[in-house]
Amino acid sequence: MMNSHFGLMIRGGDPMALLHKKASEIPADAVRLSEEEAINYFQRLVRGWEHKGEVWPLLYTPGILGASTVATGFYLNNHFRTALRLGSYGRLSSYLPAVALPAIMASLFHGLFVQPDVILRRNACPVCLQTRAAAVQAGFSIAYPLLLVPLSSFMFATRHFTYRLPSVTEQPKAVLQVLRKIMGPITLPMTLLFSFNVALSIFLTGKEFQTVHLVNMRLLEIERHLESEGILSAPNANQSIEMVPNPKERKQNLPGSTEGSDPEVSQPTADQTEENNLSGDEEEIDPDDAEFHSINNCLDALSSALDNIEQKNDSLHEQLLLLLESQRESLKALKEENSRKAAQQGEPSEDGNDSNQPEPPVQPMEQC
């Protein structure tokens, strides 16, 4: 069985599209990844995507399927508890395994057995993968609760004597009749819930396929756009980086290498590669190039803008100093005026004290 190879395009230090090709068809300037590394890379890329609305199927499909499983298990468990008049007996013990556990398992199994195949495109048949997703969802949302809910409900009803149930060992047919009687009213709702869960898993898996294709196409468009503008150079053998699952495969993929040869001797070192790239960049610079002139004009405009900002800053600083000085003078004048008013109020008070002294009594005139 041949190992799968995944190429991660590296141009100018920026990762591009994830390619799934044969080892001989992967470009030289690509990073070779194992399946686990390719899945982790793509998931990190999706989590960091700018517009979450474009990649929502890959982000929220497991959670949506888990929520649908919770709704189905809750409806079935609540119906059995009502029919058997359990009330509050064993509520947590019945809801936890019949509602929470299937939802967790449905989300986990979809993320482990469906999404990796969608991302890596292992299977060329999308319908087959959608069928697998539907089977997983139907098993955890319908089959598992239908098996667990009646058993747990009958056990609690027998323990707490809330419903008269026949013995399973002595009257198994009577127990089946009771089960058929309880399941009769919800046969149609359970059929609709089964159809809804299957259709939802098929639809979301198809949207996941579309999202993976959209992300890869968007990355390829960005790469071609950057190459057309000259921002990214053409692929160079010196820029290739390889990551393979094991060292033996790396040794086999090296061109012109033998079993006893050292790959470090046949390949240039990183310092030599960087020096070659720098020398090549210096030789390619043309002072008469239009792009060079446009960059020079942009730098001049940026310099003039910075000068204007500095002048405005100096002017603002001077205005703040003048304002501070005027405030100091106003405060000083206010203090002088307050002291002058206080002095004026003190003088009349002394005069008032003299005027308030009692006048001497008038002496009566003597009669002649």
Side-chain angles (χ1 to χ4, degrees):
M1 181 177 179
M2 297 180 63
N3 294 328
S4 300
H5 295 272
F6 300 89
L8 176 61
M9 299 301 297
I10 301 293
R11 297 290 177 84
D14 296 328
M16 291 299 175
L18 184 66
L19 305 177
H20 185 191
K21 294 183 179 181
K22 296 180 180 179
S24 59
E25 297 178 355
I26 297 178
D29 60 339
V31 176
R32 294 177 183 269
L33 302 176
S34 63
E35 291 186 352
E36 183 178 358
E37 292 171 343
I39 294 171
N40 293 333
Y41 159 75
F42 199 86
Q43 289 178 348
R44 289 196 303 269
L45 182 65
V46 169
R47 286 194 296 268
W49 199 259
E50 182 178 1
H51 302 288
K52 301 297 183 182
E54 296 178 351
V55 295
W56 68 266
L58 291 174
L59 293 174
Y60 305 122
T61 291
I64 294 173
L65 294 178
S68 178
T69 305
V70 166
T72 304
F74 182 85
Y75 173 77
L76 183 62
N77 192 46
N78 184 65
H79 174 75
F80 267 83
R81 290 182 62 84
T82 304
L84 297 176
R85 299 188 291 274
L86 290 177
S88 60
Y89 294 118
R91 179 172 295 173
L92 181 62
S93 301
S94 63
Y95 276 105
L96 186 62
V99 178
L101 185 60
I104 296 172
M105 297 301 293
S107 301
L108 185 63
F109 269 63
H110 185 87
L112 292 177
F113 298 104
V114 178
Q115 272 194 351
D117 289 353
V118 173
I119 295 173
L120 301 179
R121 287 163 290 177
R122 295 171 182 165
N123 196 344
C125 176
V127 178
C128 300
L129 200 54
Q130 287 177 319
T131 304
R132 183 194 304 175
V136 170
Q137 182 64 17
F140 285 108
S141 64
I142 301 296
Y144 183 82
L146 279 177
L147 179 63
L148 184 62
V149 169
L151 293 177
S152 62
S153 300
F154 285 173
M155 181 187 67
F156 285 118
T158 303
R159 179 184 300 176
H160 298 286
F161 304 101
T162 60
Y163 194 89
R164 185 180 180 85
L165 292 172
S167 176
V168 179
T169 57
E170 297 178 358
Q171 298 176 335
K173 293 183 179 180
V175 174
L176 293 177
Q177 290 179 357
V178 173
L179 178 63
R180 186 181 302 174
K181 178 182 177 181
I182 297 175
M183 285 292 299
I186 62 170
T187 301
L188 180 59
M190 291 301 298
T191 304
L192 294 177
L193 287 173
F194 171 78
S195 303
F196 173 77
N197 281 278
V198 170
L200 182 65
S201 60
I202 292 174
F203 170 75
L204 292 177
T205 305
K207 297 296 290 184
E208 287 178 332
F209 273 105
Q210 296 178 5
T211 304
V212 171
H213 179 73
L214 172 66
V215 170
N216 285 326
M217 290 299 102
R218 187 67 56 82
L219 294 177
L220 289 174
E221 288 177 2
I222 294 173
E223 182 184 1
R224 291 167 185 168
H225 178 69
L226 295 178
E227 288 180 355
S228 63
E229 291 185 353
I231 299 176
L232 294 181
S233 60
N236 189 358
N238 293 330
Q239 298 176 352
S240 62
I241 303 174
E242 293 186 357
M243 295 175 61
V244 293
N246 51 65
K248 294 182 179 179
E249 190 174 354
R250 175 187 175 89
K251 194 172 182 180
Q252 294 176 359
N253 292 327
L254 289 173
S257 62
T258 59
E259 294 181 357
S261 63
D262 190 0
E264 295 182 356
V265 177
S266 60
Q267 288 187 351
T269 61
D271 296 336
Q272 295 176 355
T273 302
E274 185 175 0
E275 291 178 358
N276 294 331
N277 293 333
L278 292 174
S279 62
D281 295 338
E282 291 177 357
E283 293 176 358
E284 292 178 358
I285 295 176
D286 186 7
D288 297 331
D289 192 4
E291 185 177 357
F292 179 79
H293 286 294
S294 63
I295 294 174
N296 193 13
N297 293 332
C298 291
L299 291 175
D300 292 338
L302 181 61
S303 179
S304 62
L306 291 175
D307 292 337
N308 293 331
I309 293 173
E310 186 175 1
Q311 292 177 0
K312 292 181 179 179
N313 190 13
D314 295 337
S315 176
L316 182 60
H317 184 66
E318 293 176 358
Q319 292 178 4
L320 288 175
L321 289 176
L322 292 175
L323 181 60
L324 181 60
E325 187 65 26
S326 63
Q327 287 182 354
R328 287 179 179 175
E329 292 178 357
S330 300
L331 182 60
K332 184 177 180 181
L334 184 60
K335 287 183 178 179
E336 292 177 355
E337 185 178 357
N338 290 335
S339 61
R340 188 169 56 251
K341 287 183 178 180
Q344 290 177 359
Q345 290 177 359
E347 293 177 357
S349 62
E350 294 177 358
D351 297 339
N353 292 331
D354 295 340
S355 61
N356 291 330
Q357 291 179 359
E359 296 180 356
V362 180
Q363 295 293 333
M365 295 179 65
E366 296 179 358
Q367 294 182 358
C368 295

